[in-house]
Amino acid sequence: MSLIVQKFGGTSVADVEKIRAAARKAIRAHTQGHQVVTVVSAMGKNTDRLVELAYELNERPPAREMDVLLSTGEQVTVALMAMAIESLGYKAVSLTGAQMGIRTDNTFTKARIQSIDTQRIQGYLDAGNIVIAAGFQGIDDEFNITTLGRGGSDTTAVALAAVLGADTCEIYTDVDGVYTTDPRLLPEARRVEVVSYDEMLELASLGAGVMHNRSIEFAKKFGVPIHVRSSFSDTTGSMIVAECESESSPVCGAAMTKNEARVTILGVPDVPGTSLDIFSRIADRKIAVDMIVQNMGTEGRADLSFTVPNSELAVTLEAARDAIEKIGAQGVSYDENVSKISVVGLGMAQQTGVAHRMFSALAEAGINIYMITTSEIKISALVPRDKAQDALRVVHNTFKLDSVAEDARNWSRIQHDRSQTADLQSVVATLQDDTLEKLTLTDIALVPDQARITLLGVPDRPGIAADIFADVGKSGIFVDMIVQGYDGEDGTTSVSFTVPKADYANSRAVAEALCKKFNLRGIEGADDIAKLSVSGIGLRSHTSVGTIMFRTLAQAGVNIQMINTSELQVNVVIQSDKAAETERLLRETFAESLRS
Ligand code: ASP
Ligand code: MG
């Protein structure tokens, strides 16, 4: 028999009417022949209210008592939900964390699950009940009530789905799915049928959050299909699974990060250790640096540009000035009127010319690009803020995100095989090292035999990136990383990209032709480089990853030639003769965070 886990967040159970509506959804799934486990959060903003109450009585409420208090929110909802179902003529049983045998450690307010008694839940299901499970809570070995950290009901739901071998985990929320871009910004945004775990993680880090990122990573690890849908309507929503919506479409979504600021450190001595000096000072101030681009400079100096949220600019500049003094850089420039436009898609990893399509679209609209970074499944361009809205529309149009591709997967065709029930031990083990506090990396990889081409003195005007990558694309070369930096000095920029070593000669020829055609200052290149990638989740927001990586490289005396970052990866391009040794060092440094 099939089994469905449903999760209703706070807004979906905020009052009696909403609880009744949620009850009907559980009943409907039950009458369609599924076994149903419904995980609920506290009603509306109840948890916030309980937190406020606690602080009114005690500036430092004891963590144990905090958990006794906060767990009541979910206990209220499970009971009411069970009553609602019973009044509609069906059997339901409410279970608290303790009653489900969700054993945790005793780290109050952010406990980790140690075991789950699935037999109890299964017993109630087999007896014909709809099981209403309290999200976000458990019990420790001493019978103390514990909670899993704010937003923890998502974790409860996905964990139950994994260990019970659910066919789907339905997340009912106040939006009806995942959109190609924020519909409040672009009315033509479309709800997608299917989005892959990785795409969702990137989009979420760009602000399209519907769920806790960690729950998505968890679902990915155990192959739990997630169906994000509206609690206020009956329409199907979006499935988050391993596959993307369409194999033929390189892009599944676009996003705008409106309030960004660009900071450029000018004339950084091109020696190992400078990135560390700069970024560790910024990370110490808990600021997440985003696009990082290093321009190949002249006379042993480089310009290093990066973006931070506009609200963090002042503090960032303070850190930057400290670093400049220490490393003997020449100065700093910044622009606080910029926005970032990003496109995300699994398909772009297999297709050439995707970046070029984005650049040409922006060029045709007369929008200048200040900085570019690309990673496996994401391309970001920094543009003037007053053009950002236009840029989003243009990009959305270019990739035809408003219409469904012919080869699109339909959510109903995505079937899950219940024999895939995840082994309880491994689910629990993952949950234990899956806390938000702790960094988890999934891989450190070395891509050898790469080459880099840098075009110097590229005029800073709309369309130049498009022109360049049109020519590169025509020659059939597969470009991997692209970075376009910013040069405050003479109004030119430099553009670097990597290609397979085998394509180096060919790429150089193309670059020479470009140099003549656009009257560039020169070209620079290397065919003895390698790319090192550190993969994981939350890398963009986890400010320490970059710092640790830069420190390791600095200690090994390795000079960084290119850098890019995304939610899922930090990549650096370095000299190949030091690559294997550096990979070994990184593995050693990150051994604790690297999970097998
Ligand atoms: N009620 C808890 C919170 O607000 C758990 C949840 O909603 O996921 O954080
Ligand atoms: Mg909540």
Side-chain angles (χ1 to χ4, degrees):
M1 191 183 226
S2 64
L3 190 151
I4 289 181
V5 172
Q6 303 180 324
K7 183 246 166 183
F8 293 90
T11 49
S12 307
V13 289
D15 56 38
V16 164
E17 265 324 302
K18 287 181 177 145
I19 290 179
R20 196 172 284 130
R24 287 206 184 91
K25 292 198 191 292
I27 290 169
R28 189 176 49 198
H30 177 81
T31 54
Q32 283 167 351
H34 307 288
Q35 293 192 327
V36 181
V37 175
T38 299
V39 177
V40 291
S41 292
M43 294 170 69
K45 296 244 171 289
N46 249 350
T47 310
D48 293 336
R49 217 164 295 137
L50 293 171
V51 171
E52 277 165 28
L53 275 178
Y55 281 95
E56 272 179 39
L57 288 162
N58 191 327
E59 274 173 29
R60 266 176 286 129
R64 180 188 181 281
E65 304 313 326
M66 203 62 179
D67 279 358
V68 174
L69 178 69
L70 296 193
S71 66
T72 62
E74 273 70 12
Q75 188 170 335
V76 168
T77 324
V78 283
L80 293 175
M81 183 80 157
M83 290 176 192
I85 291 175
E86 205 265 348
S87 80
L88 295 166
Y90 291 85
K91 273 169 69 178
V93 58
S94 68
L95 296 174
T96 63
Q99 290 173 314
M100 282 183 277
I102 298 196
R103 288 266 173 192
T104 71
D105 63 14
N106 63 358
T107 330
F108 298 113
T109 74
K110 39 178 185 286
R112 303 180 195 181
I113 297 178
Q114 288 180 329
S115 62
I116 300 174
D117 187 353
T118 52
Q119 275 177 359
R120 279 181 70 87
I121 302 173
Q122 196 62 58
Y124 282 114
L125 290 171
D126 292 344
N129 292 286
I130 295 174
V131 169
I132 316 298
F136 167 64
Q137 55 177 265
I139 192 168
D140 75 2
D141 286 342
E142 314 273 84
F143 302 99
N144 294 305
I145 295 173
T146 55
T147 65
L148 307 179
R150 294 304 305 269
S153 299
D154 283 341
T155 307
T156 307
V158 185
L160 286 177
V163 293
L164 293 167
D167 299 71
T168 2
C169 180
E170 298 185 327
I171 301 288
Y172 285 92
T173 177
D174 48 4
V175 293
D176 63 357
V178 178
Y179 278 74
T180 52
T181 197
D182 186 342
R184 287 165 303 185
L185 294 175
L186 274 197
E188 63 263 43
R190 175 179 64 86
R191 182 166 49 74
V192 298
E193 294 272 310
V194 176
V195 61
S196 70
Y197 298 118
D198 283 348
E199 290 167 331
M200 194 62 232
L201 287 165
E202 286 287 6
L203 288 169
S205 83
L206 295 167
V210 283
M211 286 179 76
H212 243 199
N213 252 4
R214 288 283 157 158
S215 324
I216 300 170
E217 184 202 13
F218 186 82
K220 171 183 169 183
K221 169 136 195 201
F222 294 101
V224 177
I226 294 177
H227 183 182
V228 177
R229 56 191 308 190
S230 166
S231 27
F232 311 126
S233 78
D234 283 336
T235 48
T236 57
S238 307
M239 290 296 290
I240 311 177
V241 291
E243 300 91 359
C244 56
E245 187 180 59
S246 139
E247 301 290 339
S248 67
S249 321
V251 170
C252 74
M256 167 168 105
T257 317
K258 193 167 176 210
N259 296 313
E260 293 277 280
R262 189 260 314 152
V263 175
T264 301
I265 315 257
L266 302 161
V268 177
D270 191 16
V271 293
T274 50
S275 306
L276 171 67
D277 259 307
I278 296 167
F279 293 118
S280 61
R281 280 182 170 77
I282 297 171
D284 284 347
R285 290 163 169 89
K286 300 270 174 287
I287 297 169
V289 169
D290 190 17
M291 300 170 80
I292 302 179
V293 169
Q294 180 173 289
N295 271 18
M296 293 307 296
T298 39
E299 291 142 28
R301 287 182 185 267
D303 294 336
L304 192 70
S305 299
F306 51 89
T307 60
V308 292
N310 204 11
S311 56
E312 312 273 24
L313 178 64
V315 185
T316 305
L317 288 175
E318 201 184 279
R321 289 189 177 115
D322 274 5
I324 287 168
E325 205 168 298
K326 163 87 198 304
I327 61 179
Q330 289 164 334
V332 61
S333 77
Y334 62 89
D335 184 346
E336 48 188 327
N337 293 307
V338 291
S339 301
K340 181 179 70 171
I341 302 293
S342 308
V343 296
V344 171
L346 225 47
M348 72 174 72
Q350 269 84 45
Q351 287 183 35
T352 55
V354 183
H356 169 243
R357 272 170 74 185
M358 174 165 173
F359 305 152
S360 339
L362 293 173
E364 262 164 53
I367 298 168
N368 195 14
I369 303 173
Y370 296 140
M371 268 167 73
I372 298 168
T373 64
T374 62
S375 68
E376 280 244 284
I377 64 165
K378 185 179 80 174
I379 304 169
S380 298
L382 200 68
V383 301
R385 191 170 305 141
D386 59 358
K387 293 282 172 59
Q389 174 79 28
D390 280 355
L392 182 66
R393 170 167 298 120
V394 158
V395 166
H396 197 270
N397 279 344
T398 291
F399 291 106
K400 301 191 175 57
L401 294 181
D402 57 337
S403 53
V404 188
E406 259 171 35
D407 64 338
R409 289 191 173 85
N410 186 294
W411 76 272
S412 58
R413 272 190 283 149
I414 298 211
Q415 289 287 325
H416 186 56
D417 174 7
R418 250 201 103 185
S419 61
Q420 278 180 13
T421 303
D423 143 51
L424 183 63
Q425 280 320 309
S426 56
V427 169
V428 163
T430 308
L431 280 171
Q432 285 177 17
D433 61 39
D434 216 25
T435 59
L436 285 163
E437 295 72 41
K438 199 172 147 204
L439 170 68
T440 28
L441 299 180
T442 47
D443 197 17
I444 292 178
L446 173 66
V447 187
D449 300 325
Q450 301 292 298
R452 169 182 56 80
I453 300 279
T454 299
L455 305 169
L456 299 163
V458 177
D460 185 21
R461 61 159 172 82
I464 188 75
D467 292 342
I468 290 172
F469 290 100
D471 287 5
V472 175
K474 264 182 236 150
S475 62
I477 298 165
F478 192 89
V479 174
D480 181 17
M481 272 165 82
I482 299 176
V483 304
Q484 178 193 314
Y486 183 88
D487 189 342
E489 296 283 285
D490 62 349
T492 63
T493 69
S494 74
V495 175
S496 300
F497 53 93
T498 61
V499 296
K501 188 173 173 168
D503 282 336
Y504 182 61
N506 196 0
S507 308
R508 251 202 110 100
V510 175
E512 258 145 36
L514 284 167
C515 199
K516 284 210 191 82
K517 184 165 162 189
F518 296 111
N519 202 11
L520 309 181
R521 192 164 72 230
I523 60 172
E524 217 260 330
D527 67 349
D528 56 348
I529 59 167
K531 184 170 89 169
L532 263 172
S533 306
V534 174
S535 309
I537 301 290
L539 300 192
R540 210 180 61 86
S541 43
H542 221 293
T543 50
S544 63
V545 184
T547 310
I548 297 170
M549 201 160 163
F550 297 142
R551 175 167 305 125
T552 310
L553 269 60
Q555 279 163 356
V558 175
N559 198 14
I560 302 171
Q561 302 192 9
M562 282 166 79
I563 304 168
N564 74 20
T565 58
S566 74
E567 183 66 10
L568 306 170
Q569 275 186 344
V570 179
N571 298 306
V572 293
V573 169
I574 60 172
Q575 232 176 296
S576 56
D577 58 357
K578 299 218 171 153
E581 171 66 5
T582 312
E583 186 198 4
R584 198 188 55 76
L585 281 173
L586 281 178
R587 280 189 183 280
E588 217 174 86
T589 312
F590 282 117
E592 271 219 353
S593 315
L594 196 58
R595 111 192 144 196
S596 44

mmCIF file of all heavy atoms in Angstrom, residues 7 9-10 41-42 44 47-48 74 135-136 149-154, ligand 1:
data_model
loop_
_atom_site.group_PDB
_atom_site.id
_atom_site.type_symbol
_atom_site.label_atom_id
_atom_site.label_comp_id
_atom_site.label_asym_id
_atom_site.label_seq_id
_atom_site.Cartn_x
_atom_site.Cartn_y
_atom_site.Cartn_z
ATOM 1 N N LYS A 7 2.992 17.541 5.094
ATOM 2 C CA LYS A 7 3.420 18.473 6.140
ATOM 3 C C LYS A 7 2.694 19.794 5.965
ATOM 4 O O LYS A 7 2.649 20.348 4.862
ATOM 5 C CB LYS A 7 4.935 18.674 6.089
ATOM 6 C CG LYS A 7 5.464 19.577 7.200
ATOM 7 C CD LYS A 7 6.025 20.866 6.691
ATOM 8 C CE LYS A 7 6.239 21.888 7.795
ATOM 9 N NZ LYS A 7 6.719 23.175 7.261
ATOM 10 N N GLY A 9 2.680 23.631 7.321
ATOM 11 C CA GLY A 9 3.414 24.634 8.093
ATOM 12 C C GLY A 9 2.455 25.519 8.867
ATOM 13 O O GLY A 9 1.224 25.401 8.747
ATOM 14 N N GLY A 10 3.020 26.417 9.654
ATOM 15 C CA GLY A 10 2.231 27.264 10.540
ATOM 16 C C GLY A 10 1.085 28.008 9.859
ATOM 17 O O GLY A 10 -0.046 28.015 10.350
ATOM 18 N N SER A 41 3.016 21.842 12.060
ATOM 19 C CA SER A 41 3.752 22.843 12.840
ATOM 20 C C SER A 41 2.794 23.468 13.845
ATOM 21 O O SER A 41 1.594 23.184 13.835
ATOM 22 C CB SER A 41 4.250 23.965 11.933
ATOM 23 O OG SER A 41 5.230 23.511 11.063
ATOM 24 N N ALA A 42 3.329 24.361 14.640
ATOM 25 C CA ALA A 42 2.491 25.138 15.555
ATOM 26 C C ALA A 42 1.611 26.077 14.734
ATOM 27 O O ALA A 42 1.979 26.490 13.634
ATOM 28 C CB ALA A 42 3.378 25.935 16.503
ATOM 29 N N GLY A 44 0.010 29.153 13.106
ATOM 30 C CA GLY A 44 0.420 30.531 12.804
ATOM 31 C C GLY A 44 1.766 30.905 13.405
ATOM 32 O O GLY A 44 2.751 30.198 13.239
ATOM 33 N N THR A 47 4.798 29.766 17.768
ATOM 34 C CA THR A 47 6.135 29.522 18.328
ATOM 35 C C THR A 47 6.799 30.852 18.686
ATOM 36 O O THR A 47 7.383 30.992 19.761
ATOM 37 C CB THR A 47 6.995 28.719 17.331
ATOM 38 O OG1 THR A 47 6.243 27.585 16.901
ATOM 39 C CG2 THR A 47 8.289 28.255 17.959
ATOM 40 N N ASP A 48 6.666 31.841 17.769
ATOM 41 C CA ASP A 48 7.231 33.163 18.055
ATOM 42 C C ASP A 48 6.647 33.737 19.342
ATOM 43 O O ASP A 48 7.345 34.326 20.154
ATOM 44 C CB ASP A 48 6.932 34.146 16.917
ATOM 45 C CG ASP A 48 7.662 33.767 15.638
ATOM 46 O OD1 ASP A 48 8.696 33.078 15.740
ATOM 47 O OD2 ASP A 48 7.197 34.154 14.548
ATOM 48 N N GLU A 74 3.152 22.556 18.755
ATOM 49 C CA GLU A 74 2.836 21.443 17.864
ATOM 50 C C GLU A 74 1.843 20.482 18.516
ATOM 51 O O GLU A 74 1.014 19.871 17.857
ATOM 52 C CB GLU A 74 4.122 20.705 17.462
ATOM 53 C CG GLU A 74 4.855 21.272 16.247
ATOM 54 C CD GLU A 74 5.535 22.614 16.464
ATOM 55 O OE1 GLU A 74 5.655 23.041 17.634
ATOM 56 O OE2 GLU A 74 5.940 23.262 15.483
ATOM 57 N N GLY A 135 5.505 17.945 14.523
ATOM 58 C CA GLY A 135 6.809 18.240 13.938
ATOM 59 C C GLY A 135 7.744 18.813 14.984
ATOM 60 O O GLY A 135 7.315 19.187 16.079
ATOM 61 N N PHE A 136 9.044 18.827 14.673
ATOM 62 C CA PHE A 136 9.984 19.692 15.390
ATOM 63 C C PHE A 136 10.368 19.193 16.781
ATOM 64 O O PHE A 136 11.130 19.841 17.468
ATOM 65 C CB PHE A 136 9.336 21.092 15.392
ATOM 66 C CG PHE A 136 9.835 22.190 16.272
ATOM 67 C CD1 PHE A 136 11.125 22.711 16.110
ATOM 68 C CD2 PHE A 136 9.005 22.767 17.234
ATOM 69 C CE1 PHE A 136 11.550 23.789 16.886
ATOM 70 C CE2 PHE A 136 9.432 23.839 18.012
ATOM 71 C CZ PHE A 136 10.708 24.346 17.838
ATOM 72 N N GLY A 149 15.230 22.683 16.560
ATOM 73 C CA GLY A 149 15.685 23.945 15.960
ATOM 74 C C GLY A 149 14.564 24.531 15.120
ATOM 75 O O GLY A 149 13.749 23.792 14.541
ATOM 76 N N ARG A 150 14.507 25.870 15.035
ATOM 77 C CA ARG A 150 13.415 26.547 14.350
ATOM 78 C C ARG A 150 13.264 26.041 12.919
ATOM 79 O O ARG A 150 14.255 25.805 12.229
ATOM 80 C CB ARG A 150 13.639 28.072 14.351
ATOM 81 C CG ARG A 150 13.587 28.725 15.737
ATOM 82 C CD ARG A 150 12.291 28.468 16.501
ATOM 83 N NE ARG A 150 11.089 28.852 15.790
ATOM 84 C CZ ARG A 150 10.520 30.050 15.875
ATOM 85 N NH1 ARG A 150 11.050 30.985 16.623
ATOM 86 N NH2 ARG A 150 9.411 30.302 15.212
ATOM 87 N N GLY A 151 12.027 25.890 12.514
ATOM 88 C CA GLY A 151 11.762 25.369 11.172
ATOM 89 C C GLY A 151 11.920 23.854 11.093
ATOM 90 O O GLY A 151 11.882 23.263 10.014
ATOM 91 N N GLY A 152 12.064 23.203 12.252
ATOM 92 C CA GLY A 152 12.408 21.785 12.270
ATOM 93 C C GLY A 152 11.327 20.816 11.797
ATOM 94 O O GLY A 152 11.598 19.630 11.606
ATOM 95 N N SER A 153 10.112 21.303 11.586
ATOM 96 C CA SER A 153 9.058 20.388 11.127
ATOM 97 C C SER A 153 9.356 19.819 9.742
ATOM 98 O O SER A 153 8.959 18.691 9.433
ATOM 99 C CB SER A 153 7.705 21.091 11.095
ATOM 100 O OG SER A 153 7.363 21.523 12.382
ATOM 101 N N ASP A 154 10.030 20.602 8.908
ATOM 102 C CA ASP A 154 10.442 20.081 7.596
ATOM 103 C C ASP A 154 11.330 18.854 7.787
ATOM 104 O O ASP A 154 11.197 17.856 7.075
ATOM 105 C CB ASP A 154 11.249 21.132 6.814
ATOM 106 C CG ASP A 154 10.367 22.205 6.201
ATOM 107 O OD1 ASP A 154 9.150 21.975 6.058
ATOM 108 O OD2 ASP A 154 10.901 23.283 5.861
HETATM 109 N N1 ASP B 1 6.995 25.657 14.961
HETATM 110 C C1 ASP B 1 8.418 25.567 14.776
HETATM 111 C C2 ASP B 1 8.958 26.913 14.296
HETATM 112 O O1 ASP B 1 8.189 27.831 14.066
HETATM 113 C C3 ASP B 1 8.791 24.475 13.810
HETATM 114 C C4 ASP B 1 8.306 24.665 12.395
HETATM 115 O O2 ASP B 1 7.404 25.428 12.112
HETATM 116 O O3 ASP B 1 8.875 24.014 11.503
HETATM 117 O O4 ASP B 1 10.135 27.063 14.141
#
